[in-house]
């Protein structure tokens, strides 16, 4: 079955998977969506006998139908290799009544590696298939983790340049150091005076700037995206939901067909949407529990049908979830209104102009069948990290702790005893300051790398290579610009 992709803002045109990956975002500003949901071609029982790469292939072949088996297997082999510190790629730990699906064993120790390890291979293959001769310029807005994972994936890749914009002061010290020490002459890292939403809007504006696109085309370039608006990121993420189910089945923790819950710490709604895709292709999912931090736009939506970004942006200890405009939510809105792009456009225009929209009862019903929202305050996150550590010795990062705290509440209030998987999105070593303070109750003002050693002493968990590598690395990027000047920075980098 061939799957084609349509923009959420224009149903009249379809493009191939490989073309959608190259474009990143549709010309009309919409996001690409598959025109139908395929179904897994082998049984859950058969899936449980495959390793991560095998599962990834079974998932990706359903959606990337214009790639050959050889091409997909090549991309998968090169992505999920020794860059990961465990052969399992995504190990699961059973801690205090729930399974933690650890997605942070890749080279930048956050879940963004799951898709950004493979995106460069998919993009190179896609460019070849579509006879693209221009150099690809990847523009990326990051709330902290996408930036480094994209830089690590694309640094040194021939025919590609990459610019990363991050909110100056809005990411953890380790996250920033990871980015500003990035080596490679095809990379540029820029801090902006603004928050993540500003960075993301700025990038989207550049994608939508016709004149500027023509100008860079003349100079031999074309833009693409490494954000989760690119289906080349979304689809590879579906694989670990399928793998989690298959793994529980393999280990006798569930029976074939049993429903499970996933609890997902959410920002841009990319990770949890991949979980929804897993459900649609045949994984038995009861609820996708959407966990927000104090920027709880999504929680409020699930409570009320109203998406309202008109509120203060809060800087929390889970910076990768500090987001008020969750880009991928547009994809769910589109599905929930029957893939009607005209209706979707109205909601997105309201969001742009008034910062708020209200969905219909039918749409809300559709969404409630699969999703439920929860949120955790800073205090709850901190307490959860401490409690889990005291009880079990397992150390949660701040993002995973949001999900864990939300799950604890959910379990207490619903008495739902469905097997639950908490999606663990980062290593605690990325957020050492907040994690340590939660555990020992001290407000730490030491250097971040001193804190890394302290956490190592306290927890006995090996310090990841990703952290040791940047300890003494020189800072190579120190550009900071106003959010209005992002385009100018791109021009400078491309020497236009
Ligand atoms: C990006 C990120 C999230 C949020 O994921 P979305 O796909 O944006 O919802 C959560 N935790 C960590 C550690 C992240 O890096």
């Amino acid at each position: 079955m061939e799957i084609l992709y349509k923009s959420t803002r224009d149903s009249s045109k379809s493009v191939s998977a490989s073309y959608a990956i190259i474009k990143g975002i549709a010309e009309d500003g919409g996001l690409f969506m598959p025109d139908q949901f395929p179904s897994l071609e082998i049984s859950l029982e058969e899936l449980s006998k495959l390793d991560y790469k095998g599962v990834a292939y079974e998932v990706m072949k359903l959606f990337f139908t214009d790639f050959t088996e050889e091409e997909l297997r090549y991309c998968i082999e090169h992505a999920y290799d020794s860059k990961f510190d465990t052969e399992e790629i995504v190990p699961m730990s059973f801690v205090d009544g729930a399974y933690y699906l650890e997605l942070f064993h890749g080279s930048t120790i956050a879940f963004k590696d799951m898709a950004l390890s493979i995106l460069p291979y998919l993009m190179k293959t896609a460019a070849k298939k579509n006879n693209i001769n221009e150099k690809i310029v990847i523009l990326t807005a990051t709330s902290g983790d996408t930036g480094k994972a994209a830089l690590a994936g694309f640094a040194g890749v021939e025919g590609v340049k990459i610019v990363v914009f991050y909110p100056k002061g809005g990411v953890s010290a380790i996250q920033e150091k990871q980015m500003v020490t990035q080596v490679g002459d095809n990379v540029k890292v820029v801090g902006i005076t603004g928050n993540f939403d500003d960075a993301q809007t700025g990038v989207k504006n550049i994608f939508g700037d016709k004149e500027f696109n023509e100008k860079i085309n003349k100079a031999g370039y074309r833009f693409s995206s490494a954000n989760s608006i690119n289906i080349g990121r979304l689809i590879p993420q579906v694989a670990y939901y399928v793998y989690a189910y298959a793994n529980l089945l393999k280990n006798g923790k569930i029976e074939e067909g049993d429903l499970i819950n996933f609890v997902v710490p959410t920002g841009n709604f990319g990770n949890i949407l991949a979980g929804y895709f897993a459900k649609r292709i045949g994984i038995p999912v009861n609820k996708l529990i959407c966990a927000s931090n104090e920027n709880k736009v999504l929680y409020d939506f699930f409570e009320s049908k109203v998406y309202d970004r008109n509120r203060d942006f809060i800087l929390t200890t889970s910076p990768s979830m500090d987001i008020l405009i969750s880009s991928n939510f547009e994809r769910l809105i589109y599905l929930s209104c029957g893939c009607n792009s005209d209706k979707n456009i109205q909601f997105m225009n309201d969001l742009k102009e008034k910062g708020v929209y209200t969905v219909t009862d039918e749409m809300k019903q559709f969404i409630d069948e699969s999703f439920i929202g929860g949120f955790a305050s800073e205090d709850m996150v901190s307490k959860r990290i401490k409690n889990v550590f005291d009880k079990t010795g397992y150390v949660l990062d701040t993002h995973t702790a949001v999900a864990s705290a939300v799950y604890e509440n959910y379990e207490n209030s619903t008495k739902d005893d469905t097997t639950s998987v908490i999606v663990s999105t980062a290593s605690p070593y990325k957020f050492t300051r907040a994690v340590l303070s939660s555990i020992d109750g001290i407000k730490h003002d030491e250097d971040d790398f001193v804190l890394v050693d302290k956490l190592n002493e306290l927890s006995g968990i090996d310090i990841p290579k990703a952290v040791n590598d940047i300890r003494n690395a020189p800072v190579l990027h120190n550009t900071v610009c106003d959010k209005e000047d992002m385009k100018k920075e791109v021009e400078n980098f491309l020497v236009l």
Side-chain angles (χ1 to χ4, degrees):
M1 180 165 68
E2 195 187 9
I3 303 289
L4 293 172
Y5 289 80
K6 284 181 190 237
S7 164
T8 50
R9 301 190 193 180
D10 178 3
S11 330
S12 68
K13 282 178 276 178
S14 302
V15 300
S16 65
S18 64
Y19 192 70
I21 290 171
I22 294 168
K23 289 291 288 181
I25 186 168
E27 246 145 51
D28 49 52
L31 310 188
F32 287 113
M33 278 293 279
D35 60 357
Q36 55 190 309
F37 279 102
S39 298
L40 283 163
E41 287 169 358
I42 62 173
S43 69
L44 299 169
E45 177 65 28
E46 286 167 298
L47 276 167
S48 73
K49 301 195 175 93
L50 300 178
D51 65 2
Y52 190 78
K53 291 179 204 172
V55 170
Y57 175 68
E58 286 302 319
V59 170
M60 287 187 223
K61 78 170 185 188
L62 300 178
F63 288 98
F64 298 157
T65 50
D66 69 326
F67 286 68
T68 65
E69 170 164 4
E70 196 187 353
E71 286 167 342
L72 278 182
R73 295 230 189 245
Y74 173 88
C75 294
I76 290 168
E77 274 306 315
H78 286 78
Y80 306 114
D81 61 6
S82 58
K83 290 191 283 299
F84 286 77
D85 67 10
T86 154
E87 234 171 89
E88 252 199 295
I89 308 295
V90 287
M92 274 212 258
S93 299
F94 185 72
V95 181
D96 195 25
Y99 293 89
Y100 286 77
L101 179 68
E102 297 182 354
L103 304 180
F104 51 81
H105 290 272
S107 60
T108 76
I109 57 175
F111 97 90
K112 304 298 196 291
D113 288 325
M114 296 312 303
L116 284 163
S117 311
I118 195 166
L119 184 63
Y121 293 101
L122 293 172
M123 206 171 273
K124 286 286 279 190
T125 310
K128 214 183 291 165
K129 292 177 101 58
N130 289 275
N131 300 315
I132 303 284
N133 297 315
E134 298 101 331
K135 276 196 171 192
I136 294 173
V137 181
I138 309 271
L139 297 185
T140 302
T142 183
S143 56
D145 289 328
T146 293
K148 180 60 180 187
L151 290 164
F154 284 104
V157 175
E158 214 184 299
V160 178
K161 286 178 182 257
I162 171 164
V163 188
V164 168
F165 293 99
Y166 73 95
K168 184 80 191 163
V171 300
S172 86
I174 301 275
Q175 285 179 315
E176 181 169 40
K177 184 94 193 264
Q178 278 188 308
M179 289 189 275
V180 298
T181 55
Q182 179 65 47
V183 181
D185 49 19
N186 65 332
V187 308
K188 170 133 184 118
V189 180
V190 182
I192 69 154
T193 51
N195 60 35
F196 171 73
D197 288 329
D198 297 324
Q200 176 155 263
T201 303
V203 164
K204 280 192 179 170
N205 287 344
I206 297 176
F207 285 139
D209 184 333
K210 276 216 171 72
E211 230 170 86
F212 192 44
N213 276 268
E214 276 164 23
K215 185 171 170 185
I216 72 146
N217 281 7
K218 277 208 190 100
Y221 295 110
R222 63 185 299 144
F223 287 131
S224 188
S225 164
N227 283 102
S228 52
I229 50 181
N230 193 322
I231 55 122
R233 258 200 58 192
L234 193 60
I235 302 302
Q237 291 175 183
V238 179
Y240 49 77
Y241 287 93
V242 175
Y243 181 78
Y245 191 92
N247 193 27
L248 289 171
L249 188 58
K250 180 173 96 185
N251 291 306
K253 307 298 182 194
I254 53 171
E255 310 239 338
E256 186 163 0
D258 283 355
L259 296 169
I260 65 172
N261 294 323
F262 285 102
V263 194
V264 190
T266 296
N268 230 349
F269 209 76
N271 196 354
I272 195 167
L273 188 70
Y276 178 72
F277 275 41
K279 177 179 179 179
R280 293 293 298 260
I281 64 175
I283 296 301
V285 177
N286 175 40
K287 279 284 183 266
L288 292 156
I289 303 170
C290 176
S292 299
N293 65 19
E294 289 181 357
N295 294 292
K296 58 185 182 59
V297 181
L298 289 167
Y299 168 76
D300 292 342
F301 171 83
F302 289 118
E303 291 292 292
S304 70
K305 313 194 290 206
V306 184
Y307 192 101
D308 185 359
R309 56 154 293 202
N310 297 313
R311 62 183 75 201
D312 289 338
F313 187 102
I314 301 167
L315 291 176
T316 71
T317 52
S318 43
S320 302
M321 296 159 64
D322 289 346
I323 292 173
L324 296 179
I325 307 169
S326 300
S327 278
N328 279 288
F329 204 59
E330 175 171 348
R331 288 186 157 117
L332 186 63
I333 293 297
Y334 172 77
L335 286 172
S336 71
C337 63
C339 302
N340 184 324
S341 52
D342 291 333
K343 284 191 189 156
N344 177 58
I345 287 172
Q346 281 174 13
F347 293 116
M348 294 309 128
N349 279 346
D350 283 350
L351 182 63
K352 190 166 181 190
E353 280 153 26
K354 299 176 218 145
V356 54
Y357 61 82
T358 306
V359 302
T360 64
D361 288 337
E362 295 82 58
M363 290 169 70
K364 185 64 176 19
Q365 214 169 7
F366 174 93
I367 291 169
D368 287 346
E369 272 168 35
S370 305
F371 293 89
I372 183 165
F375 86 100
S377 66
E378 288 291 272
D379 191 44
M380 285 162 69
V381 170
S382 175
K383 285 202 175 110
R384 187 67 188 153
I385 292 173
K386 180 167 173 56
N387 286 344
V388 171
F389 179 74
D390 288 349
K391 217 163 152 182
T392 68
Y394 192 72
V395 185
L396 301 173
D397 99 276
T398 45
H399 303 73
T400 308
V402 170
S404 183
V406 163
Y407 175 65
E408 190 186 26
N409 259 2
Y410 170 81
E411 207 188 7
N412 288 339
S413 63
T414 61
K415 306 290 175 216
D416 176 9
D417 61 358
T418 306
T419 302
S420 295
V421 175
I422 293 170
V423 177
S424 306
T425 48
S427 156
Y429 279 106
K430 257 188 143 158
F431 307 96
T432 342
R433 190 172 300 274
V435 169
L436 256 189
S437 297
S438 301
I439 292 176
D440 65 15
I442 299 168
K443 191 174 181 304
H444 288 281
D445 48 18
E446 301 97 314
D447 173 85
D448 283 88
F449 290 94
V450 172
L451 298 181
V452 162
D453 293 331
K454 284 203 168 156
L455 183 62
N456 171 251
E457 254 170 59
L458 189 73
S459 69
I461 304 167
D462 287 344
I463 300 172
K465 181 172 178 301
V467 173
N468 280 327
D469 281 353
I470 56 167
R471 243 178 226 270
N472 300 310
V475 171
L476 302 173
H477 305 270
N478 48 23
T479 311
V480 178
C481 79
D482 270 351
K483 61 184 182 199
E484 287 80 21
D485 293 333
M486 292 168 58
K487 187 165 134 186
K488 224 185 283 167
E489 289 301 330
V490 175
E491 281 184 317
N492 289 346
F493 179 58
L494 300 179
V495 201
L496 296 179

